[in-house]
Amino acid sequence: MEERGFHNILGYTLSMGNLLRAYYENRNKNKIICSFPLSPEFEKLFHPFSFSLPKTKDLQLATHPLLLMDDQFYVLDWNHLAGQIFLGTYFGINSKLKEVGEVDKHGETLLKGELGDVMEKYLMKPIIEIVFENNCQRMKFDSETGFKKYPDAIIQSGNCVFFFEFKDRLLSERDFSSHSYSNIANNVDEGFIKDKGINQLLDYIEKFASNKYTDYFGSYNECGVSHIYPIIIYTDYRYGIEGVNDYLVWKFEDEIDKGKERDCVLTLFRNDVIQPVTFISLDFFFTTLHLFYTKTIELHSLLEEYISEMRERRQRMDIYAVKEWEEIPNTYKSFENYFHQYNYIHSSWDDMSLFLSHNKSLFQKLGNDLTQLDISKQ
């Protein structure tokens, strides 16, 4: 904290609050480029990542996403700025912990696991609760069961059952900027396939179909299931690049075919009960929360449309035999980009008052939950 100009955690936290407040004000005014005044509350946060004109040396926006001009900081890339301020601080603290030997037997700090638990319990859980508010028959989260192998959430809405697995993982800037298929694929394999993500979801579905969750969620037969939707929620915007969802779909189907011990899963998949896995950003749920809250959109309808459209596009690609090159970028759309591209889901920033009013309960719950944490001991 001191290296970044802050004498304690409270000062850093207050600066984060000022940043979020100013961000909302900028967006509410529909300003094309967000800007912040050159003032003490922002100077400490922004100066390491800003540059002025004329430049004295070559700078990349990945490291300097802010332009300082006329006593104003102009944000040129929000994703990189957020990465520098939030993730940069996390990596810095994590590195310091390693330097002083605060690691487990594997050489890793406890920081990432603890942050992941906080993200899941105090952010993901209340968001999913609001998405399905008054629109589900059963809802159970892992934190409520004490069962060792239980998904982060199982929710029944009508005849649909949703399995959620939350993964707070980062795609390294090195892999992302390499533009290498193999580098990115290896990262995805490590974080969402090998004994994690996909395989976890398949194990959970197998246990559900075999009535292993009866004490916590009810039996499979009682639910009258017509469709099972396996969903992985990710947090790093970099995973939203085109093609990752399709890659996971292919791997998901491969794992089903290989899983001899999961005969019931294979049967359900062939009978079109188990749907392809879908990769969705936590940001997507947050920025469209007011639309879920007002029943303007429903998750099962979005999934149904997306899965159907992507399946049809891949079939067209097989027919074209990649001769129609202009079709390729539109064929492997991420879940978020598919809906935003066609303005099917309008950005929550279109009506900030609606966004804030319907997210009020989430903000209140999040604030109340976090105040119960003894931060001094973390």
Side-chain angles (χ1 to χ4, degrees):
M1 292 291 108
E2 288 178 353
E3 288 178 4
R4 291 173 175 264
F6 298 97
H7 297 295
N8 51 51
I9 293 176
L10 180 59
Y12 177 76
T13 305
L14 291 176
S15 292
M16 291 295 100
N18 287 328
L19 173 60
L20 291 172
R21 174 187 53 76
Y23 173 75
Y24 280 118
E25 291 175 353
N26 271 270
R27 299 298 301 206
N28 203 23
K29 295 175 183 176
N30 292 319
K31 295 177 68 174
I32 297 176
I33 298 180
C34 289
S35 63
F36 303 92
L38 178 61
S39 59
E41 59 184 336
F42 299 124
E43 194 169 2
K44 291 178 182 179
L45 285 175
F46 290 163
H47 252 314
F49 317 116
S50 65
F51 69 93
S52 302
L53 297 175
K55 294 187 296 182
T56 58
K57 61 180 180 179
D58 291 334
L59 296 172
Q60 296 182 355
L61 293 184
T63 55
H64 291 76
L66 287 161
L67 170 63
L68 177 57
M69 185 171 62
D70 299 330
D71 292 331
Q72 290 279 320
F73 289 104
Y74 292 91
V75 181
L76 305 180
D77 191 315
W78 268 111
N79 285 326
H80 282 312
L81 177 61
Q84 294 289 350
I85 292 177
F86 293 99
L87 298 181
T89 303
Y90 158 73
F91 284 122
I93 295 174
N94 207 48
S95 176
K96 294 293 183 185
L97 289 171
K98 288 185 176 182
E99 286 178 12
V100 297
E102 291 290 336
V103 296
D104 59 20
K105 62 181 181 180
H106 303 293
E108 296 295 332
T109 71
L110 297 177
L111 178 62
K112 188 179 189 304
E114 291 178 353
L115 287 178
D117 290 342
V118 170
M119 287 277 288
E120 180 182 330
K121 185 176 180 180
Y122 296 105
L123 192 59
M124 185 276 287
K125 183 176 181 288
I127 285 177
I128 296 302
E129 285 175 334
I130 292 177
V131 167
F132 287 97
E133 187 169 343
N134 301 319
N135 193 31
C136 71
Q137 288 73 51
R138 292 182 175 94
M139 181 183 299
K140 201 72 173 180
F141 293 87
D142 177 34
S143 57
E144 301 170 344
T145 66
F147 194 85
K148 286 187 176 180
K149 293 187 177 181
Y150 195 87
D152 291 330
I154 305 181
I155 294 164
Q156 180 185 359
S157 178
N159 293 327
C160 300
V161 175
F162 303 83
F163 283 74
F164 289 93
E165 190 60 24
F166 177 75
K167 295 297 179 188
D168 183 25
R169 180 179 171 82
L170 301 174
L171 175 58
S172 72
E173 184 63 36
R174 181 184 60 187
D175 289 341
F176 182 68
S177 302
S178 71
H179 304 293
S180 166
Y181 174 88
S182 60
N183 287 354
I184 296 174
N186 288 337
N187 185 290
V188 172
D189 288 347
E190 190 67 31
F192 303 102
I193 296 174
K194 296 178 181 177
D195 301 322
K196 301 175 182 178
I198 281 176
N199 276 294
Q200 285 178 300
L201 285 169
L202 290 173
D203 286 340
Y204 299 149
I205 293 172
E206 189 275 332
K207 286 180 171 57
F208 173 58
S210 302
N211 293 317
K212 301 288 179 60
Y213 295 147
T214 302
D215 292 342
Y216 306 99
F217 191 77
S219 71
Y220 174 80
N221 293 329
E222 286 177 355
C223 294
V225 182
S226 62
H227 288 92
I228 294 175
Y229 292 99
I231 298 166
I232 298 176
I233 298 179
Y234 67 93
T235 56
D236 188 343
Y237 77 95
R238 295 177 181 88
Y239 285 116
I241 56 178
E242 317 295 23
V244 174
N245 194 100
D246 293 87
Y247 182 75
L248 289 173
V249 167
W250 296 327
K251 290 291 185 177
F252 185 73
E253 294 178 359
D254 287 344
E255 291 299 322
I256 290 177
D257 289 336
K258 290 190 300 185
K260 296 179 181 179
E261 70 281 6
R262 304 191 193 106
D263 289 338
C264 62
V265 170
L266 181 59
T267 300
L268 291 174
F269 182 73
R270 288 176 174 172
N271 290 335
D272 205 32
V273 174
I274 298 176
Q275 299 300 297
V277 67
T278 308
F279 202 47
I280 307 178
S281 166
L282 185 64
D283 284 347
F284 175 84
F285 287 112
F286 181 74
T287 56
T288 58
L289 206 56
H290 62 292
L291 299 178
F292 284 108
Y293 187 88
T294 57
K295 304 294 186 294
T296 304
I297 57 176
E298 292 183 344
L299 186 57
H300 75 88
S301 299
L302 300 183
L303 290 169
E304 189 177 78
E305 178 180 338
Y306 176 70
I307 291 170
S308 175
E309 180 64 22
M310 292 301 103
R311 184 178 286 153
E312 182 180 330
R313 291 185 182 199
R314 287 192 292 270
Q315 290 173 349
R316 289 204 303 265
M317 282 299 296
D318 291 339
I319 295 174
Y320 293 145
V322 298
K323 293 179 182 178
E324 302 292 338
W325 293 102
E326 66 274 11
E327 285 289 317
I328 293 177
N330 292 320
T331 300
Y332 305 108
K333 282 289 180 189
S334 67
F335 182 84
E336 299 82 6
N337 289 345
Y338 169 73
F339 288 109
H340 288 312
Q341 178 185 16
Y342 296 101
N343 295 318
Y344 183 85
I345 296 177
H346 297 290
S347 171
S348 59
W349 308 119
D350 292 344
D351 188 347
M352 182 58 66
S353 61
L354 180 65
F355 174 77
L356 290 176
S357 64
H358 287 299
N359 283 3
K360 185 177 181 181
S361 59
L362 172 64
F363 290 130
Q364 288 177 335
K365 178 174 176 53
L366 179 60
N368 291 336
D369 288 341
L370 290 180
T371 55
Q372 303 304 313
L373 294 175
D374 188 349
I375 297 178
S376 65
K377 294 182 180 179
Q378 299 300 315

